[in-house]
Amino acid sequence: MDGGYLDGETAIVSVTGDVGNGMEWEFRHFVDLRTGTDGGRLPAPPTPLHDAFEIRPLGDGSWLSVDHEQRVWRNLK
């Protein structure tokens, strides 16, 4: 999942791009749903694995992510 609703007032939005030669970049930001303002970037897990950047917002103000050892972590803003 690339983003979703963190809670009733905040979304996680994914912004991606391609730099060529099959290389891509991706950043995730908190966005205030009432104003549309950027609330800052989510910390990325310290891993070179693309799949480890997958996140799952839970809707209660937290989200799940995967670290470099493929362990699932629950995160809070």
Side-chain angles (χ1 to χ4, degrees):
M1 174 175 258
D2 289 330
Y5 295 99
L6 185 61
D7 57 33
E9 298 176 354
T10 309
I12 296 177
V13 176
S14 178
V15 181
T16 61
D18 185 359
V19 295
N21 297 332
M23 296 180 63
E24 298 178 345
W25 56 267
E26 181 172 22
F27 297 110
R28 292 189 176 92
H29 290 259
F30 297 109
V31 175
D32 184 309
L33 294 172
R34 293 169 294 164
T35 64
T37 57
D38 182 358
R41 197 159 68 178
L42 268 75
T47 177
L49 302 173
H50 185 288
D51 290 343
F53 289 106
E54 182 173 336
I55 60 166
R56 298 218 181 253
L58 300 177
D60 64 354
S62 67
W63 69 95
L64 300 178
S65 64
V66 180
D67 71 9
H68 65 285
E69 295 179 6
Q70 300 300 307
R71 295 177 296 192
V72 177
W73 292 90
R74 189 170 184 175
N75 305 272
L76 299 172
K77 183 175 177 185

